[in-house]
């Protein structure tokens, strides 16, 4: 797998190189004809690098069948380049920037490819977080000013999130060269583990409990604020601890630092992607 842009450009210089790489991924032990089951080197068509033809039954097989690339008119190189950008750009990427980086003519094409790549990165069998690790649970409102609808904010949605609290090494940080250097521990030496986010209709107990039971393992130690909807969490097998923040940012930073950091990064990411 390419670890940098020059390495990616060297490995995937054209559609044929992308097709050969994808063929090895799909058939690790060698190509097998889908109709006859024959194990033999397939015939290739120079003008259609995404198609393989069985040497025995002559039936054609598309490399992209059953993937997010299926039935796409874009080249394999475009898809591979898009996948590399999406998986390597930490701050995220807007469809406009995606279109510009890949040299696509139409915005709709860039948006569709980007959407399919993001959907393909979602795990279908998401397991529950927590268990041996404590979890911070809280909610935030996402939205902003809306033009033409008067003053204030409108159409906000409630997003609830849960993040694992994992202990970190004290005063030790590894540099890029693998060396260890002393560092001031932040957030009590804790760092964020696995994360779950979801849109809920409101701040009711039904929404909170429903989300918690869906994504957090029973018996998990859970820290929340003192919102009344959290009071019933202990009735469903969670070891619940409520923290009275009283609007004090210092208390929030001390007791629920990780989930607030997650929400802050989420809002920054949304501003950068959709408002740029």
């Amino acid at each position: 797998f390419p670890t940098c842009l020059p390495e990616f450009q060297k490995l995937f210089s054209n559609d044929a190189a992308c097709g050969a790489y994808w063929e090895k991924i799909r058939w690790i032990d060698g190509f097998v004809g889908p109709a006859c089951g024959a194990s033999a080197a397939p015939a290739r068509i120079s003008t259609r690098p995404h198609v393989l033809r069985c040497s025995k039954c002559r039936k054609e097989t598309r490399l992209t069948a059953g993937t997010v690339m299926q039935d796409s008119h874009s080249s394999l190189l475009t898809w591979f380049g898009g996948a590399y950008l999406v998986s390597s750009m930490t701050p995220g990427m807007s469809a406009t920037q995606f279109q510009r980086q890949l040299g696509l003519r139409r915005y709709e094409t860039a948006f569709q490819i980007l959407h399919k790549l993001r959907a393909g990165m979602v795990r279908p069998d998401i397991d529950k977080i927590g268990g041996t690790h404590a979890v911070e649970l809280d909610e935030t409102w996402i939205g902003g000013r809306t033009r033409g609808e008067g003053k204030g904010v409108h159409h906000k949605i409630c997003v609830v999130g849960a993040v694992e609290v994992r202990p970190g090494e004290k005063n030790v940080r590894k540099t890029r060269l693998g060396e260890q250097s002393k560092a001031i521990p932040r957030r009590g030496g804790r760092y964020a583990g696995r994360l779950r986010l979801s849109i809920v209709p409101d701040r009711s107990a039904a929404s909170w409990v429903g989300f918690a039971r869906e994504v957090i393992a029973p018996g998990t130690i859970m820290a929340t604020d003192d919102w009344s909807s959290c009071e019933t969490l202990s009735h469903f097998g969670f070891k619940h601890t409520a923290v009275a923040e009283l609007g004090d940012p210092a208390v929030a930073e001390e007791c629920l630092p990780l989930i607030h950091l997650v929400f802050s990064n989420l809002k920054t990411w949304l501003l950068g992607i959709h408002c740029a």
Side-chain angles (χ1 to χ4, degrees), residues 8 52 241:
F8 172 83
L52 300 179
T241 301

Side-chain angles (χ1 to χ4, degrees), residues 34-136:
C36 62
S39 299
R44 293 173 173 81
I45 306 173
S46 59
T47 57
R48 302 168 68 194
H50 62 288
V51 175
L52 300 179
R53 180 178 295 164
C54 180
S55 302
K56 184 176 181 180
C57 66
R58 311 300 293 174
K59 184 175 179 60
E60 293 183 351
T61 301
R62 293 179 180 270
L63 285 172
T64 57
T67 71
V68 295
M69 300 179 286
Q70 181 174 332
D71 300 329
S72 173
H73 296 289
S74 300
S75 65
L76 289 177
L77 186 59
T78 298
W79 278 98
F80 274 54
Y84 178 77
L85 290 175
V86 172
S87 60
S88 60
M89 295 290 290
T90 304
M93 177 174 291
S94 65
T96 301
Q97 186 181 8
F98 191 75
Q99 176 190 8
R100 183 169 56 250
Q101 291 292 332
L102 294 180
L104 299 174
R105 294 183 179 180
R106 300 180 69 248
Y107 172 85
E108 292 77 9
T109 302
F111 180 86
Q112 185 180 45
I113 293 177
L114 182 59
H115 176 73
K116 287 186 176 181
L117 288 172
R118 287 173 174 169
M121 294 170 66
V122 178
R123 288 177 52 194
D125 54 341
I126 299 179
D127 53 346
K128 294 185 177 181
I129 65 175
T132 57
H133 298 284
V135 168
E136 293 181 8

